[in-house]
Amino acid sequence: MSKPIEHDYIGLSEQPLPSMEKSSDTNDKKNGLRLKDTELRLGLPGSDSPEREDHDQNVLSLKSFVPGAKRGFSDALDGGGKWVFSGGSGGGSEGLFSPRGGGKNNGGNDLSGPDSGLGGPVLKDGAAQKPQVVQEKKSQRVAGSIHGNGITAAPAPTAQVVGWPPIRSFRKNTMASHPSKNDDDDNAEANLGSECLYVKVSMDGAPYLRKVDLKISGSYKELSSALEKMFSCFTIGQCGSNGVSSRDGLSESRLIDLLHSSEYVLTYEDKDGDWMLVGDVPWEMFTNSCKRLRIMKSTEAIGLGTLYPESYGEVPKSYLDDSILL
Amino acid sequence: MCVVFSFLFGLSLMHKKMEFPFPDEVLEHIFSFIQSDKDRNSVSMVCKSWYEIERWCRRKVFVGNCYAVSPRMVSRRFPEFRSIELKGKPHFADFNLVPDGWGGYVFPWIVEMAGAFPWLEEIKLKRMVVTDESLELIAKSFKKVKVLVLSSCEGFSTDGLGAIAASCKNLEELDLVDCEVDDLSGHWLSHFPESYTSLVSLNISCLVSDEVSFSALERLVGRCTNLRTLRLNRAVPLDKVADILRRAPQLVEFGTGTYAAELRPDVYSDLAGAFSSCKELKSLSGFWDVVPDYLPAIYPVCSKLTSLNLSYATIQSPELIKLVSHCPNLQRLLVLDYIEDSGLEALASSCKDLQELRVFPSDPYGVEPNVSLTERGLVAVSSGCPKLMSVLYFCRQMSNEALVTIAKNRPNFTRFRLCIIEPRTADYLTHEPLDVGFGAIVQYCKELQRLSLSGLLTDRVFEYIGKYAKKLEMLSVAFAGDSDLGLHHVLSGCESLRKLEIRDCPFGDKALLANAARLETMRSLWMSSCAVSFGACKLLGQKMPRLNVEVIDERGPPDSRPESCPVDKLYIYRTIAGPRFDMPPFVWTMEDDPSLLLS
């Protein structure tokens, strides 16, 4: 993403408006449309329709809602709801509301911040085509090159935007599992197009499957928290199909407790069709061999290998420190 | 169609004036010439008796949104239909914006039809959840079913397909397009009994497993002499293709499996020979993992090709140029951006019949462009291909100048979908927004039905769209606009708009509420990561009983946050079936005001 994330959209209304830069001709030639005179004054009483802002800072278009804006709307900004212009759920923690602002995608994959992209091991090939790193670099370069008006906003590290570019899953998965024929080197270019890797996740007792993008989660920890968010509504067991939920008032810690309890373990089916416990192998090896995930009741998981004394969220120390994976 | 229509109009006037109106049979006979859904709907509105006659003789039912109407309502109104087409999830579900479990279940429809419509012949589903149970029920209930098309569907496995294969003796078409199938094994193909020979069209290209029962496939192909369309999946190796083609030289449409093999002259000549024996081939697809040296094997059929799907073929521009230069009759081309500007220029000079072009990105998440594909390629085809009507183009740079040129070159566009990969990319020459460019598209292309925007865009572009795009039926917007005015322009100006999908735009309550009535004339509106507050959603839900206003929010119940807080995703659609009850926990339907329901 080339645009900064609205990390502090809460503070947006406090920032001074930038000097309005009238774009060259377009605004002058209102060509008789004269929408300012038409019926709907969508702007505020006394204000004009928002002018074109400095177009390199598209984020600043929010500032067209001047202070004194219709109360409901600036409240929306102040409320810090999910005002996301990019996929950067890394800003999720800024929201006033549940930090699991991962509503952006169906996987609810929230990144925990700037280092989210560095969860994976760096490829031996110095080109470092690892997706998350790529995305961060992109945001920095593009701000300079494409919008080269000399305004370089400091881009925050961004995550891949969900559903953008708009490419169907079948195509993404097909291209992902296609190693480039032009390369003998296994590593370089092997990830061409593999920037997302959706696997199905089922949970014993849940009415339907979900999908999670393993590439967005850079590590076991992130995968674990993404799954927690995704399946939190099921663990309470009171979600009716008509949408009525009795999970109000449930704190996040209670959910984590449930999932971190010994009630469930996270398992996966590997390329050979065997079911394994998640966490046994280095992250990269796991993403390469994982075909699908299953949150299994512990009682069913006996015989799958060493059950950790604590939850599946705990992994052997060695795999938490990715530097040793080189 | 206009001629038929004026005739009908005249007829309806006469009908009303005559003392003894035309007998029903005559009208029925006349109506049988009217196939299009739109026209049928219009016919049914002429008068009550026409409504009655029409509903008894409607054979094809199209339901664009499976929640707009209930299965029972459809079966009551059209007691004699033979073909049903249903669409479920919103289009943005294709890009993972609709969480799993949202809905779109076909099962209730199958249940409703199973009892009352045993003569059902065609079932076409798009973006629906189809379970094995549904497929089994189809197999059991509809002995006459001829056509089963599942497009972007999910929820079933090859076991369900096996049930279809085993029971549907009259099946002619089984078409799986981009479905997510739990591919348990390739053995489902052997469930087609040896006595079964009716297959005309089989598309299994989306099956991902490596296992395919080749012998079952070959036998099936061999005994189904009416087979016209066969789209294989990637698992079928290249050396099997020759065997299959030899058994079905009558094929009109063929999709290869993987197009890679060790280079061996005998395999090559086998393949080339098999292709040359197919005198009817008009459409080719597949081409996964292409080894370029095998491409010339298809040259014998290229001169007759009208449709070519190379969108999975990772071959470079020189090979692509060679290939398309052999295909002068090409009408439809799907290709990766490896074709580059130079390849598109070659296309523009070789393929004067081209009507549809889709260029997909080979490296959509890459930092720098990996190929030289820019706006120039699109300008070239728009200039060189006079029949070009439909374009889907992924690129990394664009300019207003190019868009204006394209618009002037090709005012006959009906579908224009441009995706500039980086959101909010400005005109690379002037650094301005691309408002003027897209404005030219809508201004010159008066027949435009579908438009997808990208790049840096302000409210201005929506002004143009509202002003000019009078025939626009579907609009897709992302990362664009400055304010509610943008949305207002579209909702108030685009008279033909049926589907509007918006993501990541600063559109909020005002435009939506001001144009609430308009929403009832559209099929649906999707807004995600915009600025519509929960309060506005509630208000809309209350005031508009004929709309379902669904809030999709995985953060938790929207009423646990202030009303002014924007909702995450919003899906509004018109319906006569009332709120649905199959929603997952993260979807809420805004309630109708009970007092309004009575009116």
Side-chain angles (χ1 to χ4, degrees):
Chain A
M1 277 303 305
S2 60
K3 296 304 168 188
I5 298 178
E6 309 326 280
H7 276 297
D8 44 337
Y9 43 69
I10 298 169
L12 258 178
S13 52
E14 290 153 22
Q15 291 180 18
L17 293 173
S19 58
M20 307 271 214
E21 175 187 294
K22 296 261 195 277
S23 61
S24 46
D25 298 323
T26 51
N27 277 325
D28 297 335
K29 299 183 202 156
K30 282 267 180 183
N31 277 345
L33 278 166
R34 290 174 55 215
L35 283 144
K36 291 183 177 140
D37 299 345
T38 55
E39 71 281 27
L40 195 71
R41 298 283 292 165
L42 295 179
L44 322 153
S47 79
D48 276 336
S49 336
E51 296 290 14
R52 272 277 307 116
E53 303 279 352
D54 177 341
H55 47 70
D56 284 330
Q57 303 275 345
N58 185 63
V59 60
L60 301 176
S61 63
L62 285 178
K63 298 189 173 101
S64 58
F65 300 111
V66 298
K70 190 169 162 185
R71 202 183 144 273
F73 205 73
S74 64
D75 272 0
L77 293 184
D78 287 340
K82 194 128 190 355
W83 186 270
V84 189
F85 267 129
S86 63
S89 322
S93 58
E94 262 62 40
L96 277 186
F97 303 95
S98 162
R100 76 188 80 150
K104 187 92 180 87
N105 76 24
N106 60 346
N109 289 319
D110 233 36
L111 297 183
S112 45
D115 55 291
S116 58
L118 301 174
V122 174
L123 293 176
K124 289 183 195 143
D125 180 343
Q129 287 291 322
K130 203 75 176 104
Q132 294 89 337
V133 175
V134 159
Q135 289 299 323
E136 289 166 19
K137 285 201 172 135
K138 177 157 82 154
S139 65
Q140 283 150 22
R141 285 159 112 170
V142 168
S145 57
I146 290 184
H147 310 283
N149 267 11
I151 297 164
T152 41
T158 60
Q160 189 178 88
V161 180
V162 172
W164 192 267
I167 299 170
R168 285 187 177 174
S169 309
F170 180 72
R171 174 169 297 281
K172 274 197 285 206
N173 294 339
T174 300
M175 301 304 288
S177 54
H178 166 91
S180 167
K181 284 287 183 215
N182 303 324
D183 262 323
D184 292 328
D185 184 343
D186 282 352
N187 286 336
E189 306 304 323
N191 282 329
L192 198 72
S194 67
E195 276 71 10
C196 84
L197 182 60
Y198 277 94
V199 295
K200 291 190 182 169
V201 191
S202 60
M203 178 168 175
D204 291 357
Y208 49 81
L209 301 178
R210 301 299 304 268
K211 287 192 281 279
V212 67
D213 184 347
L214 290 185
K215 294 290 183 193
I216 280 191
S217 316
S219 68
Y220 283 118
K221 253 202 179 134
E222 286 167 32
L223 175 65
S224 163
S225 68
L227 292 175
E228 274 164 34
K229 285 162 189 142
M230 225 191 282
F231 286 95
S232 54
C233 65
F234 296 131
T235 54
I236 314 315
Q238 313 241 6
C239 301
S241 60
N242 58 3
V244 172
S245 155
S246 42
R247 63 182 185 270
D248 304 273
L250 217 60
S251 72
E252 186 179 295
S253 54
R254 160 113 174 88
L255 293 171
I256 292 176
D257 287 346
L258 255 177
L259 289 168
H260 276 194
S261 74
S262 51
E263 222 184 298
Y264 289 99
V265 288
L266 182 60
T267 62
Y268 72 102
E269 183 182 5
D270 72 3
K271 282 189 171 143
D272 302 322
D274 300 322
W275 285 92
M276 323 271 280
L277 274 184
V278 168
D280 281 344
V281 300
W283 174 254
E284 159 113 314
M285 200 182 295
F286 164 69
T287 56
N288 283 339
S289 60
C290 171
K291 274 174 45 179
R292 70 172 83 195
L293 290 163
R294 182 175 159 202
I295 302 174
M296 218 183 259
K297 285 204 142 81
S298 318
T299 44
E300 297 206 20
I302 303 200
L304 273 189
T306 7
L307 284 179
Y308 296 114
E310 317 208 54
S311 75
Y312 66 83
E314 304 278 343
V315 295
K317 260 199 185 141
S318 53
Y319 298 130
L320 289 177
D321 178 4
D322 288 322
S323 61
I324 72 156
L325 292 172
L326 290 173
Chain B
M1 214 7 88
C2 286
V3 174
V4 177
F5 232 67
S6 351
F7 170 69
L8 280 176
F9 181 65
L11 198 64
S12 72
L13 289 177
M14 285 174 63
H15 175 93
K16 285 177 187 168
K17 290 186 172 161
M18 281 166 71
E19 220 173 275
F20 297 105
F22 287 117
D24 290 1
E25 295 81 25
V26 174
L27 285 170
E28 226 181 272
H29 180 71
I30 296 172
F31 293 170
S32 68
F33 294 105
I34 300 172
Q35 301 289 338
S36 120
D37 207 64
K38 249 192 213 171
D39 294 339
R40 280 252 166 188
N41 289 344
S42 306
V43 159
S44 69
M45 298 213 291
V46 166
C47 62
K48 278 194 177 146
S49 66
W50 279 35
Y51 175 93
E52 276 304 308
I53 297 166
E54 193 282 318
R55 79 180 186 92
W56 279 95
C57 67
R58 188 177 303 207
R59 296 283 176 262
K60 285 188 185 200
V61 169
F62 170 76
V63 180
N65 172 6
C66 65
Y67 291 119
V69 72
S70 74
R72 178 59 54 91
M73 286 169 169
V74 172
S75 64
R76 280 219 178 114
R77 180 168 168 195
F78 302 113
E80 301 273 331
F81 71 87
R82 301 272 187 276
S83 160
I84 187 155
E85 185 175 345
L86 292 169
K87 295 188 181 179
K89 299 184 207 171
H91 172 240
F92 273 174
D94 284 356
F95 316 126
N96 292 309
L97 287 176
V98 178
D100 294 327
W102 173 84
Y105 305 103
V106 80
F107 192 69
W109 290 86
I110 307 297
V111 166
E112 173 67 25
M113 295 185 298
F117 296 86
W119 51 74
L120 198 61
E121 290 175 7
E122 292 186 359
I123 300 173
K124 297 180 183 172
L125 307 174
K126 189 164 188 179
R127 280 186 214 105
M128 295 200 77
V129 176
V130 181
T131 54
D132 282 347
E133 204 186 349
S134 303
L135 290 175
E136 280 151 21
L137 190 55
I138 290 173
K140 201 171 72 159
S141 320
F142 307 118
K143 295 303 175 193
K144 298 215 164 150
V145 72
K146 287 188 181 155
V147 173
L148 182 60
V149 177
L150 303 178
S151 184
S152 300
C153 293
E154 49 148 353
F156 61 102
S157 76
T158 43
D159 286 352
L161 295 177
I164 297 284
S167 309
C168 300
K169 308 216 178 334
N170 295 301
L171 193 67
E172 292 175 7
E173 180 175 339
L174 179 60
D175 195 352
L176 308 174
V177 182
D178 286 353
C179 290
E180 257 186 58
V181 184
D182 215 350
D183 200 339
L184 303 174
S185 84
H187 299 300
W188 68 274
L189 276 173
S190 14
H191 289 242
F192 282 110
E194 288 301 318
S195 55
Y196 169 75
T197 57
S198 351
L199 202 58
V200 174
S201 170
L202 179 66
N203 178 358
I204 53 168
S205 53
C206 62
L207 295 184
V208 293
S209 122
D210 288 333
E211 301 173 38
V212 152
S213 170
F214 296 126
S215 56
L217 180 60
E218 281 169 3
R219 282 199 315 274
L220 181 65
V221 169
R223 64 181 186 267
C224 296
T225 52
N226 291 325
L227 197 64
R228 291 279 171 277
T229 299
L230 179 64
R231 307 256 189 218
L232 303 172
N233 61 333
R234 200 173 185 177
V236 179
L238 192 54
D239 52 346
K240 289 290 180 189
V241 163
D243 291 337
I244 287 173
L245 282 178
R246 265 195 296 274
R247 283 162 209 252
Q250 76 282 5
L251 280 177
V252 176
E253 300 180 327
F254 181 64
T256 73
T258 183
Y259 206 78
E262 231 176 70
L263 272 178
R264 282 167 41 196
D266 54 328
V267 173
Y268 179 88
S269 57
D270 217 15
L271 191 62
F275 271 113
S276 5
S277 67
C278 296
K279 307 290 183 200
E280 312 291 328
L281 266 183
K282 292 223 165 70
S283 164
L284 282 180
S285 63
F287 296 107
W288 285 284
D289 320 307
V290 173
V291 164
D293 290 322
Y294 274 111
L295 276 177
I298 68 168
Y299 286 176
V301 299
C302 281
S303 60
K304 292 207 180 135
L305 282 184
T306 55
S307 169
L308 187 53
N309 183 351
L310 294 168
S311 64
Y312 296 104
T314 52
I315 43 180
Q316 306 300 318
S317 185
E319 276 102 20
L320 284 165
I321 292 176
K322 255 190 273 177
L323 191 49
V324 303
S325 62
H326 278 82
C327 307
N329 291 310
L330 211 53
Q331 294 171 14
R332 186 168 184 262
L333 177 66
L334 280 65
V335 73
L336 285 171
D337 57 9
Y338 289 126
I339 195 169
E340 300 195 325
D341 290 335
S342 54
L344 291 174
E345 279 153 22
L347 182 70
S349 58
S350 326
C351 303
K352 295 302 184 185
D353 276 351
L354 196 69
Q355 294 172 20
E356 179 178 353
L357 174 68
R358 297 193 190 198
V359 180
F360 294 96
S362 52
D363 184 19
Y365 309 107
V367 180
E368 298 290 345
N370 60 325
V371 292
S372 176
L373 180 101
T374 68
E375 79 284 4
R376 286 194 293 281
L378 190 54
V379 171
V381 285
S382 74
S383 155
C385 302
K387 302 189 187 169
L388 190 63
M389 289 193 313
S390 170
V391 156
L392 169 62
Y393 198 78
F394 284 81
C395 62
R396 285 187 157 83
Q397 71 182 42
M398 188 49 62
S399 66
N400 283 310
E401 184 186 332
L403 283 171
V404 172
T405 305
I406 289 166
K408 288 183 173 167
N409 283 342
R410 229 27 337 108
N412 45 324
F413 274 132
T414 53
R415 286 179 189 73
F416 189 80
R417 293 153 73 190
L418 178 64
C419 177
I420 304 166
I421 289 175
E422 181 63 29
R424 303 195 193 90
T425 302
D427 177 326
Y428 77 101
L429 295 171
T430 64
H431 306 294
E432 305 225 314
L434 291 170
D435 301 336
V436 167
F438 279 104
I441 295 283
V442 292
Q443 186 181 351
Y444 287 96
C445 305
K446 301 200 192 304
E447 303 298 316
L448 199 65
Q449 289 169 12
R450 185 164 177 189
L451 177 65
S452 301
L453 304 174
S454 58
L456 184 66
L457 298 165
T458 71
D459 285 347
R460 187 102 228 168
V461 72
F462 299 109
E463 222 178 276
Y464 293 134
I465 292 173
K467 179 175 179 186
Y468 292 112
K470 295 305 183 186
K471 300 231 173 129
L472 194 66
E473 297 181 8
M474 181 168 176
L475 179 64
S476 309
V477 186
F479 307 102
D482 308 311
S483 75
D484 274 57
L485 201 53
L487 180 57
H488 172 68
H489 287 313
V490 171
L491 288 176
S492 58
C494 298
E495 297 158 1
S496 309
L497 198 63
R498 294 186 296 114
K499 291 180 278 186
L500 179 56
E501 48 185 24
I502 301 172
R503 62 164 297 176
D504 294 276
C505 296
F507 300 149
D509 302 346
K510 300 171 215 140
L512 207 54
L513 295 173
N515 291 283
R518 177 76 177 90
L519 297 175
E520 271 187 10
T521 66
M522 290 166 56
R523 183 188 297 174
S524 65
L525 167 64
W526 168 278
M527 293 178 75
S528 56
S529 304
C530 294
V532 181
S533 72
F534 179 53
C537 295
K538 282 208 299 194
L539 191 58
L540 205 54
Q542 275 168 13
K543 296 300 176 197
M544 311 292 296
R546 285 186 300 230
L547 292 180
N548 275 355
V549 178
E550 291 184 8
V551 170
I552 301 166
D553 209 320
E554 290 179 282
R555 294 171 294 178
D559 54 15
S560 64
R561 292 182 286 277
E563 280 206 1
S564 53
C565 193
V567 298
D568 183 26
K569 296 171 186 175
L570 175 61
Y571 186 50
I572 300 173
Y573 55 91
R574 66 177 174 187
T575 179
I576 53 173
R580 60 187 179 109
F581 295 105
D582 60 356
M583 295 169 313
F586 49 84
V587 177
W588 292 266
T589 299
M590 304 296 104
E591 285 178 10
D592 301 327
D593 182 341
S595 64
L596 284 179
L597 287 173
L598 296 173
S599 59

